[in-house]
Amino acid sequence: MGDLFHDDLGFSPGQKVLEVGCGVGGQTVLLAKKWPDTEFVSIDKEVAFIRQASEHLEKAHVDNVGLQHADIMSLPFDKESFDHIYVCFVLEHLACPVDALFNLNDVLKTGGTITVVEGDHDSFFCHPNNNDARKVVDCLTKLQAMCGGNALIGRELYPLLTATDFCKVSVKPKSMYVDSSRPDLIENFSKSTLIGVLEEIKDQALACNLIDSDQWRKGIDALYRSTEVDGTLCYTFFKAQAMK
């Protein structure tokens, strides 16, 4: 999915970029290799992720990334430290995304830019259409809300950024469309990413009485049905770019 999110980024040699919520380093490697003369500082609040990201970077022979254990709600950087900030799939997990964006604004240089990528689970659809598949996806949205997050935050990026002192805000939808002519996306997005994440929340969804086991099974079956030769699946992400 890197090409979907990185296609119009433009980092210059010598610039300093903060990547927030690097996870295990999947996107970190892609960014660092695409811009080898740019300095990246990649942070995550989970120590285990930082360890895995370090291993990932070492295997990829990447040397222009500094990994750091840090929380977006309490950033350990001086004001105006970075030329650009890259945030992907982070705000959806936060109870106070406005506070997080104000923190990021503080450490961004005046005239610097920020890129924010988030999803919106209501944008999902598949063919053949199936109500049980929709209910399974809705379980993920509800569970995230119960944890204080917002799985529909993609649609809110424009007002969030304008409310936190960013200017020149621009938001673009980035659709992931999958059919049988794209077997790589069937495996890497439909099955491994979307359905894989949903299968991990089964026990939580059933324990919270968000869905019954019969509906769950039918919904998962319908999602796999969309990966067959006559099936399709679509999900829309939102990519926002703005300036300080």
Side-chain angles (χ1 to χ4, degrees), residues 158-240:
Y158 184 87
L160 282 171
L161 286 162
T162 55
T164 48
D165 295 341
F166 290 98
C167 63
K168 297 184 179 180
V169 181
S170 173
V171 180
K172 296 178 182 178
K174 296 284 186 175
S175 292
M176 178 67 74
Y177 168 77
V178 186
D179 59 33
S180 58
S181 72
R182 304 176 178 187
D184 56 328
L185 292 181
I186 287 177
E187 294 301 322
N188 296 327
F189 181 74
S190 295
K191 292 182 179 180
S192 298
T193 302
L194 181 61
I195 301 175
V197 168
L198 291 169
E199 289 182 321
E200 290 177 2
I201 66 161
K202 176 183 177 181
D203 291 343
Q204 290 175 276
L206 294 176
C208 293
N209 296 315
L210 299 179
I211 195 170
D212 62 47
S213 57
D214 185 54
Q215 283 181 318
W216 181 270
R217 178 184 56 79
K218 290 179 180 177
I220 292 294
D221 287 348
L223 287 165
Y224 276 110
R225 172 70 179 83
S226 75
T227 69
E228 295 179 10
V229 66
D230 60 343
T232 67
L233 184 147
C234 188
Y235 184 98
T236 301
F237 301 94
F238 293 86
K239 179 179 178 179

Side-chain angles (χ1 to χ4, degrees), residues 35-201:
W35 289 280
D37 298 319
T38 298
E39 177 187 355
F40 292 90
V41 176
S42 298
I43 66 170
D44 202 285
K45 70 174 184 177
E46 300 293 338
V47 174
F49 287 165
I50 293 294
R51 292 196 190 102
Q52 292 177 69
S54 179
E55 294 173 2
H56 197 173
L57 292 169
E58 185 176 354
K59 289 179 182 178
H61 305 291
V62 170
D63 60 4
N64 57 325
V65 178
L67 292 170
Q68 189 166 340
H69 175 226
D71 190 334
I72 191 174
M73 304 309 294
S74 182
L75 293 169
F77 306 114
D78 293 334
K79 291 181 180 295
E80 305 222 349
S81 293
F82 298 95
D83 298 289
H84 187 86
I85 298 174
Y86 182 79
V87 189
C88 189
F89 307 148
V90 174
L91 300 185
E92 64 176 307
H93 300 291
L94 304 180
C96 299
V98 168
D99 291 346
L101 287 170
F102 272 124
N103 289 343
L104 294 176
N105 192 293
D106 280 346
V107 301
L108 183 64
K109 293 179 181 178
T110 300
T113 53
I114 184 171
T115 297
V116 183
V117 180
E118 296 289 346
D120 191 315
H121 292 353
D122 273 359
S123 70
F124 157 84
F125 64 81
C126 66
H127 171 76
N129 188 36
N130 184 280
N131 289 333
D132 291 317
R134 175 77 263 172
K135 289 175 183 177
V136 168
V137 175
D138 286 345
C139 287
L140 186 57
T141 302
K142 292 173 182 177
L143 285 171
Q144 198 150 333
M146 291 166 65
C147 295
N150 180 5
L152 310 178
I153 202 168
R155 68 186 69 180
E156 298 181 29
L157 291 183
Y158 184 87
L160 282 171
L161 286 162
T162 55
T164 48
D165 295 341
F166 290 98
C167 63
K168 297 184 179 180
V169 181
S170 173
V171 180
K172 296 178 182 178
K174 296 284 186 175
S175 292
M176 178 67 74
Y177 168 77
V178 186
D179 59 33
S180 58
S181 72
R182 304 176 178 187
D184 56 328
L185 292 181
I186 287 177
E187 294 301 322
N188 296 327
F189 181 74
S190 295
K191 292 182 179 180
S192 298
T193 302
L194 181 61
I195 301 175
V197 168
L198 291 169
E199 289 182 321
E200 290 177 2
I201 66 161

